[in-house]
Amino acid sequence: MVRPFAKDQTVPAILAVVLVSLLLAVILIFGASRPATPAKVAEAPKAKNTAAEPVTDKNGEVVLPHNTKDYQVDSTIIVQGTRAMEIFTAFHGALNRYGTDINNFAAQVPGKTVYVLLAPTSIEFYGPDDYKTKSQSFETAIEYAYEPMTASNIKTVNCRNAIAKHVDEYIYLRTDHHWSGRGAYYAYTEFCKVAGLTAPKLSSYESGSVEGFVGSLYAQTQEDILKQNPDTVTYYFPHTKSTGEAFETTALTNPRSVKVVQPKVPAEYAYLCFIEGDNPILRFTTENHNGKSILMVKESYGNAFAPFLTDNYETVWVVDPRKVDMDLASFVKEQGIDDVLFLNYAFAPSNPTYRDALEKMLGVSAQN
Protein backbone atom coordinates (compact mmCIF):
# COMPACT_ATOMS: atom_id res chain seq x y z
CA MET A 1 0.00 0.00 0.00
CA VAL A 2 1.45 3.39 -1.09
CA ARG A 3 1.16 6.00 1.61
CA PRO A 4 0.12 9.58 0.58
CA PHE A 5 2.30 12.62 1.39
CA ALA A 6 1.40 14.49 4.50
CA LYS A 7 0.20 18.06 3.91
CA ASP A 8 3.42 19.58 5.28
CA GLN A 9 5.49 17.43 2.81
CA THR A 10 3.64 18.18 -0.43
CA VAL A 11 5.27 21.51 -1.40
CA PRO A 12 8.86 20.39 -0.72
CA ALA A 13 8.28 17.23 -2.76
CA ILE A 14 6.95 19.18 -5.74
CA LEU A 15 9.94 21.56 -5.62
CA ALA A 16 12.37 18.64 -5.51
CA VAL A 17 10.81 17.07 -8.61
CA VAL A 18 11.02 20.37 -10.49
CA LEU A 19 14.72 20.87 -9.57
CA VAL A 20 15.66 17.34 -10.69
CA SER A 21 13.84 17.84 -14.02
CA LEU A 22 15.67 21.12 -14.65
CA LEU A 23 19.04 19.51 -13.84
CA LEU A 24 18.42 16.66 -16.29
CA ALA A 25 17.47 19.15 -19.02
CA VAL A 26 20.71 21.08 -18.53
CA ILE A 27 22.78 17.87 -18.78
CA LEU A 28 21.03 16.79 -21.99
CA ILE A 29 21.45 20.18 -23.67
CA PHE A 30 25.04 21.01 -22.72
CA GLY A 31 26.63 17.72 -21.76
CA ALA A 32 26.18 16.05 -25.17
CA SER A 33 28.47 18.54 -26.93
CA ARG A 34 31.21 18.52 -24.30
CA PRO A 35 34.42 16.94 -25.62
CA ALA A 36 35.94 13.91 -23.99
CA THR A 37 38.51 14.68 -21.33
CA PRO A 38 41.93 14.60 -23.07
CA ALA A 39 43.60 12.88 -20.16
CA LYS A 40 41.36 9.86 -20.66
CA VAL A 41 42.09 9.48 -24.42
CA ALA A 42 45.14 7.31 -25.17
CA GLU A 43 47.45 8.83 -27.84
CA ALA A 44 48.24 6.45 -30.70
CA PRO A 45 51.97 5.75 -31.10
CA LYS A 46 53.64 7.33 -34.13
CA ALA A 47 54.60 5.01 -36.96
CA LYS A 48 58.33 4.40 -37.36
CA ASN A 49 59.97 5.42 -40.63
CA THR A 50 61.36 2.04 -41.62
CA ALA A 51 62.41 3.22 -45.08
CA ALA A 52 65.21 5.28 -43.58
CA GLU A 53 66.30 2.50 -41.23
CA PRO A 54 66.51 -0.85 -43.09
CA VAL A 55 65.90 -3.94 -40.98
CA THR A 56 69.08 -5.89 -40.29
CA ASP A 57 69.75 -9.23 -38.66
CA LYS A 58 72.24 -9.94 -35.87
CA ASN A 59 75.09 -9.96 -38.41
CA GLY A 60 74.15 -6.56 -39.79
CA GLU A 61 72.80 -7.98 -43.06
CA VAL A 62 69.82 -6.17 -44.55
CA VAL A 63 66.74 -8.39 -44.32
CA LEU A 64 64.69 -8.32 -47.51
CA PRO A 65 60.88 -8.61 -47.48
CA HIS A 66 59.29 -11.97 -48.24
CA ASN A 67 58.31 -12.45 -51.85
CA THR A 68 55.73 -15.11 -52.55
CA LYS A 69 54.04 -13.66 -55.63
CA ASP A 70 53.19 -15.89 -58.57
CA TYR A 71 55.92 -16.44 -61.12
CA GLN A 72 56.85 -18.73 -63.99
CA VAL A 73 60.10 -20.44 -64.87
CA ASP A 74 61.39 -20.27 -68.44
CA SER A 75 64.42 -22.58 -68.56
CA THR A 76 66.96 -20.81 -66.29
CA ILE A 77 64.98 -17.56 -66.03
CA ILE A 78 62.18 -16.56 -63.67
CA VAL A 79 59.54 -14.15 -64.95
CA GLN A 80 57.59 -12.47 -62.19
CA GLY A 81 55.26 -9.67 -63.16
CA THR A 82 57.19 -7.38 -65.49
CA ARG A 83 60.62 -8.53 -64.22
CA ALA A 84 62.83 -11.36 -65.46
CA MET A 85 65.69 -12.77 -63.36
CA GLU A 86 68.40 -15.36 -63.91
CA ILE A 87 68.24 -18.31 -61.51
CA PHE A 88 71.49 -18.18 -59.56
CA THR A 89 73.37 -21.06 -57.98
CA ALA A 90 76.59 -20.67 -56.02
CA PHE A 91 78.95 -23.32 -57.41
CA HIS A 92 81.68 -23.88 -54.83
CA GLY A 93 84.32 -25.22 -57.23
CA ALA A 94 84.08 -22.38 -59.77
CA LEU A 95 83.91 -19.61 -57.17
CA ASN A 96 86.77 -21.04 -55.13
CA ARG A 97 88.86 -21.37 -58.28
CA TYR A 98 88.13 -17.71 -59.14
CA GLY A 99 89.35 -16.64 -55.70
CA THR A 100 92.47 -18.78 -55.94
CA ASP A 101 93.33 -17.35 -59.37
CA ILE A 102 93.10 -13.76 -58.12
CA ASN A 103 95.05 -14.61 -54.97
CA ASN A 104 97.87 -16.00 -57.13
CA PHE A 105 97.82 -12.85 -59.27
CA ALA A 106 98.05 -10.62 -56.18
CA ALA A 107 101.22 -12.44 -55.17
CA GLN A 108 102.77 -11.36 -58.51
CA VAL A 109 102.14 -7.66 -57.85
CA PRO A 110 103.05 -7.22 -54.18
CA GLY A 111 103.36 -3.44 -54.41
CA LYS A 112 99.83 -3.00 -55.79
CA THR A 113 96.45 -3.01 -54.06
CA VAL A 114 94.07 -5.59 -55.51
CA TYR A 115 90.34 -5.05 -54.96
CA VAL A 116 87.71 -7.68 -55.67
CA LEU A 117 84.02 -6.83 -56.04
CA LEU A 118 81.64 -9.65 -56.90
CA ALA A 119 78.26 -8.17 -57.84
CA PRO A 120 74.93 -9.76 -56.88
CA THR A 121 72.24 -10.38 -59.48
CA SER A 122 68.67 -9.13 -59.29
CA ILE A 123 67.25 -12.43 -57.99
CA GLU A 124 69.07 -11.79 -54.69
CA PHE A 125 66.72 -8.87 -54.05
CA TYR A 126 63.56 -9.60 -55.99
CA GLY A 127 63.40 -13.38 -56.37
CA PRO A 128 60.73 -15.67 -54.90
CA ASP A 129 61.41 -17.02 -51.43
CA ASP A 130 61.87 -20.60 -52.62
CA TYR A 131 64.88 -19.44 -54.67
CA LYS A 132 66.59 -17.94 -51.62
CA THR A 133 68.06 -21.14 -50.21
CA LYS A 134 71.71 -21.41 -49.15
CA SER A 135 72.82 -22.75 -52.53
CA GLN A 136 71.14 -19.80 -54.26
CA SER A 137 72.46 -17.21 -51.80
CA PHE A 138 74.80 -14.46 -52.90
CA GLU A 139 76.35 -14.50 -49.43
CA THR A 140 77.29 -18.12 -50.05
CA ALA A 141 78.92 -17.10 -53.33
CA ILE A 142 80.90 -14.38 -51.56
CA GLU A 143 82.05 -16.88 -48.95
CA TYR A 144 83.23 -19.37 -51.56
CA ALA A 145 84.99 -16.77 -53.74
CA TYR A 146 86.62 -14.63 -51.06
CA GLU A 147 87.79 -17.42 -48.75
CA PRO A 148 90.98 -18.26 -50.78
CA MET A 149 91.97 -14.59 -51.07
CA THR A 150 94.59 -14.51 -48.33
CA ALA A 151 97.23 -12.27 -49.94
CA SER A 152 97.94 -9.22 -47.80
CA ASN A 153 97.43 -6.79 -50.69
CA ILE A 154 93.87 -7.98 -51.48
CA LYS A 155 90.84 -6.04 -50.27
CA THR A 156 87.42 -7.60 -50.87
CA VAL A 157 84.23 -5.60 -51.28
CA ASN A 158 80.79 -6.94 -50.32
CA CYS A 159 78.28 -4.50 -51.82
CA ARG A 160 75.18 -6.58 -51.08
CA ASN A 161 73.90 -4.53 -48.16
CA ALA A 162 74.70 -1.20 -49.81
CA ILE A 163 72.43 -2.22 -52.71
CA ALA A 164 69.77 -3.90 -50.54
CA LYS A 165 68.98 -0.62 -48.80
CA HIS A 166 67.63 0.67 -52.12
CA VAL A 167 65.45 -2.21 -53.35
CA ASP A 168 62.54 0.18 -53.90
CA GLU A 169 64.61 2.10 -56.47
CA TYR A 170 65.47 1.28 -60.10
CA ILE A 171 68.70 -0.59 -59.29
CA TYR A 172 68.35 -3.49 -61.76
CA LEU A 173 66.94 -3.65 -65.26
CA ARG A 174 63.81 -5.76 -65.62
CA THR A 175 64.24 -7.11 -69.16
CA ASP A 176 68.01 -7.53 -68.98
CA HIS A 177 70.55 -9.23 -66.68
CA HIS A 178 72.52 -6.06 -65.86
CA TRP A 179 72.21 -3.71 -62.93
CA SER A 180 71.30 -0.12 -63.71
CA GLY A 181 73.60 2.87 -63.42
CA ARG A 182 71.98 3.55 -60.06
CA GLY A 183 72.65 0.01 -58.84
CA ALA A 184 76.28 0.29 -59.97
CA TYR A 185 76.55 3.59 -58.09
CA TYR A 186 75.56 1.99 -54.77
CA ALA A 187 78.20 -0.69 -55.31
CA TYR A 188 80.69 2.09 -56.10
CA THR A 189 79.96 3.78 -52.76
CA GLU A 190 80.89 0.56 -50.97
CA PHE A 191 84.08 0.27 -53.01
CA CYS A 192 84.97 3.83 -51.98
CA LYS A 193 84.52 2.94 -48.30
CA VAL A 194 86.93 0.02 -48.63
CA ALA A 195 89.41 2.02 -50.73
CA GLY A 196 89.29 5.14 -48.55
CA LEU A 197 87.89 7.30 -51.35
CA THR A 198 85.06 9.82 -51.48
CA ALA A 199 81.97 9.08 -53.54
CA PRO A 200 79.98 12.13 -54.73
CA LYS A 201 76.30 12.11 -53.79
CA LEU A 202 74.08 10.61 -56.47
CA SER A 203 71.97 13.78 -56.51
CA SER A 204 75.03 15.82 -57.49
CA TYR A 205 75.42 14.15 -60.90
CA GLU A 206 73.91 15.41 -64.12
CA SER A 207 72.05 12.55 -65.75
CA GLY A 208 70.13 11.47 -68.81
CA SER A 209 68.37 8.35 -70.02
CA VAL A 210 67.59 6.16 -73.00
CA GLU A 211 64.00 4.93 -73.20
CA GLY A 212 62.59 1.74 -74.67
CA PHE A 213 65.40 -0.75 -74.00
CA VAL A 214 64.48 -4.43 -74.14
CA GLY A 215 67.42 -6.59 -73.11
CA SER A 216 68.95 -10.04 -72.91
CA LEU A 217 66.32 -11.71 -70.74
CA TYR A 218 63.57 -10.81 -73.17
CA ALA A 219 65.74 -12.13 -76.00
CA GLN A 220 66.00 -15.46 -74.20
CA THR A 221 62.35 -15.80 -73.12
CA GLN A 222 60.45 -13.84 -75.79
CA GLU A 223 57.87 -13.04 -73.11
CA ASP A 224 55.44 -10.38 -74.35
CA ILE A 225 55.06 -8.90 -70.86
CA LEU A 226 58.74 -7.89 -70.98
CA LYS A 227 58.51 -6.43 -74.47
CA GLN A 228 55.47 -4.41 -73.46
CA ASN A 229 57.32 -3.00 -70.42
CA PRO A 230 60.75 -1.91 -71.69
CA ASP A 231 63.51 -0.52 -69.47
CA THR A 232 64.78 3.00 -69.11
CA VAL A 233 68.60 3.10 -68.98
CA THR A 234 69.82 6.08 -66.95
CA TYR A 235 73.43 7.31 -67.08
CA TYR A 236 75.30 9.75 -64.84
CA PHE A 237 77.96 12.17 -66.07
CA PRO A 238 81.08 12.19 -63.86
CA HIS A 239 82.06 15.51 -62.28
CA THR A 240 85.57 15.20 -63.71
CA LYS A 241 86.25 15.62 -67.41
CA SER A 242 88.19 12.87 -69.15
CA THR A 243 89.57 11.85 -72.52
CA GLY A 244 89.02 8.25 -73.53
CA GLU A 245 90.97 5.99 -75.87
CA ALA A 246 90.30 2.43 -77.01
CA PHE A 247 93.11 0.03 -78.01
CA GLU A 248 93.04 -3.39 -79.62
CA THR A 249 96.32 -4.66 -78.17
CA THR A 250 98.80 -3.98 -75.38
CA ALA A 251 100.99 -2.16 -77.92
CA LEU A 252 98.58 0.73 -77.38
CA THR A 253 98.76 1.84 -81.01
CA ASN A 254 96.09 3.30 -83.30
CA PRO A 255 93.80 4.54 -80.52
CA ARG A 256 90.12 5.20 -81.16
CA SER A 257 88.34 7.98 -79.28
CA VAL A 258 85.64 6.88 -76.79
CA LYS A 259 83.47 8.63 -74.24
CA VAL A 260 83.10 7.49 -70.65
CA VAL A 261 79.37 8.21 -71.06
CA GLN A 262 77.89 8.15 -74.56
CA PRO A 263 74.29 9.40 -74.55
CA LYS A 264 73.80 9.12 -78.31
CA VAL A 265 72.89 5.45 -78.62
CA PRO A 266 69.77 3.84 -80.09
CA ALA A 267 67.23 2.27 -77.72
CA GLU A 268 68.06 -1.30 -78.75
CA TYR A 269 71.69 -0.75 -77.71
CA ALA A 270 71.02 1.48 -74.70
CA TYR A 271 73.58 -0.20 -72.43
CA LEU A 272 76.32 1.02 -74.79
CA CYS A 273 75.93 4.43 -73.15
CA PHE A 274 78.36 3.15 -70.51
CA ILE A 275 81.98 3.37 -71.85
CA GLU A 276 80.61 2.43 -75.30
CA GLY A 277 80.31 -1.24 -74.39
CA ASP A 278 82.89 -4.03 -74.26
CA ASN A 279 86.32 -3.09 -75.64
CA PRO A 280 89.72 -4.83 -75.36
CA ILE A 281 91.55 -2.00 -73.54
CA LEU A 282 90.29 1.44 -72.54
CA ARG A 283 92.24 4.31 -71.02
CA PHE A 284 90.56 7.38 -69.57
CA THR A 285 92.85 10.28 -68.70
CA THR A 286 91.07 12.65 -66.34
CA GLU A 287 91.58 16.13 -64.96
CA ASN A 288 92.19 14.65 -61.50
CA HIS A 289 95.88 15.46 -61.23
CA ASN A 290 96.43 13.25 -58.19
CA GLY A 291 98.81 10.77 -59.83
CA LYS A 292 96.56 7.80 -58.95
CA SER A 293 95.71 5.06 -61.42
CA ILE A 294 93.47 2.00 -61.43
CA LEU A 295 92.86 -0.88 -63.83
CA MET A 296 89.49 -2.64 -63.78
CA VAL A 297 89.18 -6.22 -65.08
CA LYS A 298 85.57 -6.86 -66.00
CA GLU A 299 82.87 -8.29 -68.22
CA SER A 300 79.90 -6.12 -69.15
CA TYR A 301 78.77 -5.64 -65.52
CA GLY A 302 81.72 -3.31 -65.05
CA ASN A 303 80.60 -0.96 -67.82
CA ALA A 304 78.08 1.00 -65.71
CA PHE A 305 80.59 1.13 -62.82
CA ALA A 306 83.60 2.48 -64.72
CA PRO A 307 82.46 6.11 -65.21
CA PHE A 308 82.30 6.70 -61.46
CA LEU A 309 86.00 5.86 -61.07
CA THR A 310 87.01 8.88 -63.14
CA ASP A 311 86.10 11.11 -60.19
CA ASN A 312 88.76 9.43 -58.02
CA TYR A 313 91.70 8.61 -60.30
CA GLU A 314 93.88 10.47 -62.78
CA THR A 315 94.03 7.42 -65.05
CA VAL A 316 91.40 4.70 -65.34
CA TRP A 317 92.17 1.57 -67.37
CA VAL A 318 89.48 -0.95 -68.29
CA VAL A 319 90.23 -4.37 -69.77
CA ASP A 320 87.95 -7.20 -70.88
CA PRO A 321 89.67 -10.62 -70.81
CA ARG A 322 87.36 -11.90 -73.55
CA LYS A 323 88.58 -9.22 -75.97
CA VAL A 324 92.36 -9.08 -75.56
CA ASP A 325 95.41 -11.28 -75.00
CA MET A 326 97.72 -9.88 -72.34
CA ASP A 327 99.88 -10.74 -69.36
CA LEU A 328 98.06 -8.70 -66.74
CA ALA A 329 100.83 -8.66 -64.12
CA SER A 330 103.40 -7.44 -66.66
CA PHE A 331 101.03 -4.81 -68.02
CA VAL A 332 100.26 -3.44 -64.55
CA LYS A 333 103.97 -3.12 -63.78
CA GLU A 334 104.89 -1.59 -67.14
CA GLN A 335 102.18 1.07 -66.92
CA GLY A 336 102.90 1.88 -63.27
CA ILE A 337 99.29 1.18 -62.26
CA ASP A 338 98.57 1.55 -58.54
CA ASP A 339 95.31 -0.36 -58.01
CA VAL A 340 93.67 -3.31 -59.74
CA LEU A 341 89.93 -3.96 -59.40
CA PHE A 342 88.35 -7.26 -60.41
CA LEU A 343 84.66 -6.49 -60.86
CA ASN A 344 82.45 -9.33 -62.02
CA TYR A 345 78.85 -10.31 -61.57
CA ALA A 346 78.20 -13.46 -59.62
CA PHE A 347 77.72 -15.68 -62.69
CA ALA A 348 81.08 -14.81 -64.28
CA PRO A 349 83.28 -17.25 -62.30
CA SER A 350 81.04 -20.11 -63.45
CA ASN A 351 81.01 -19.04 -67.10
CA PRO A 352 83.62 -21.16 -68.97
CA THR A 353 84.23 -18.52 -71.66
CA TYR A 354 84.96 -15.76 -69.18
CA ARG A 355 86.85 -18.00 -66.75
CA ASP A 356 89.18 -19.34 -69.43
CA ALA A 357 89.88 -15.84 -70.77
CA LEU A 358 90.57 -14.52 -67.28
CA GLU A 359 92.89 -17.39 -66.40
CA LYS A 360 94.80 -16.88 -69.65
CA MET A 361 95.25 -13.21 -68.74
CA LEU A 362 96.41 -14.17 -65.26
CA GLY A 363 98.82 -16.80 -66.57
CA VAL A 364 96.96 -19.68 -64.96
CA SER A 365 97.39 -23.10 -66.56
CA ALA A 366 94.23 -24.67 -67.98
CA GLN A 367 92.36 -26.74 -65.42
CA ASN A 368 89.73 -29.42 -65.82
Side-chain angles (χ1 to χ4, degrees), residues 6-256:
K7 289 182 179 181
D8 58 346
Q9 295 176 321
T10 301
V11 174
I14 292 172
L15 290 173
V17 171
V18 172
L19 289 172
V20 170
S21 298
L22 289 171
L23 181 60
L24 289 173
V26 170
I27 292 173
L28 288 173
I29 293 171
F30 297 102
S33 60
R34 182 178 297 172
T37 304
K40 295 182 180 180
V41 178
E43 184 178 354
K46 295 181 179 179
K48 187 177 181 181
N49 182 9
T50 55
E53 300 178 15
V55 178
T56 58
D57 62 16
K58 63 182 180 180
N59 297 317
E61 181 175 328
V62 177
V63 179
L64 299 171
H66 289 292
N67 188 343
T68 57
K69 296 179 182 178
D70 292 337
Y71 63 91
Q72 65 185 62
V73 179
D74 188 330
S75 183
T76 59
I77 298 170
I78 288 175
V79 179
Q80 187 173 39
T82 61
R83 181 184 298 279
M85 298 163 280
E86 295 173 289
I87 298 173
F88 176 69
T89 300
F91 293 108
H92 181 273
L95 289 160
N96 194 262
R97 175 172 167 175
Y98 173 80
T100 300
D101 290 343
I102 294 175
N103 192 67
N104 291 338
F105 165 78
Q108 299 177 52
V109 289
K112 315 296 181 179
T113 303
V114 177
Y115 298 95
V116 185
L117 192 160
L118 204 61
T121 64
S122 62
I123 199 169
E124 171 71 15
F125 308 105
Y126 302 108
D129 289 344
D130 47 355
Y131 281 87
K132 293 180 180 178
T133 63
K134 182 175 175 60
S135 64
Q136 274 81 34
S137 167
F138 175 71
E139 288 299 312
T140 299
I142 286 287
E143 178 184 344
Y144 291 163
Y146 290 2
E147 188 271 336
M149 298 182 187
T150 58
S152 60
N153 57 331
I154 290 181
K155 294 184 178 182
T156 58
V157 181
N158 185 345
C159 63
R160 189 264 186 192
N161 277 0
I163 295 174
K165 294 176 182 178
H166 302 276
V167 290
D168 58 341
E169 301 175 29
Y170 205 156
I171 54 175
Y172 282 86
L173 303 184
R174 292 174 290 96
T175 71
D176 191 79
H177 67 288
H178 291 103
W179 54 15
S180 66
R182 180 177 287 262
Y185 168 79
Y186 292 126
Y188 161 71
T189 62
E190 193 63 24
F191 165 76
C192 285
K193 288 180 182 179
V194 175
L197 303 172
T198 299
K201 291 184 178 180
L202 186 62
S203 60
S204 70
Y205 292 98
E206 290 186 15
S207 64
S209 60
V210 182
E211 305 284 348
F213 176 63
V214 181
S216 61
L217 300 184
Y218 167 71
Q220 294 180 58
T221 63
Q222 296 293 302
E223 290 288 343
D224 286 340
I225 190 66
L226 301 179
K227 186 177 182 180
Q228 294 166 9
N229 293 274
D231 279 296
T232 297
V233 177
T234 299
Y235 47 82
Y236 300 91
F237 291 102
H239 294 278
T240 309
K241 293 182 179 179
S242 63
T243 300
E245 299 169 292
F247 304 96
E248 296 297 319
T249 70
T250 56
L252 305 181
T253 56
N254 302 317
R256 173 175 57 85

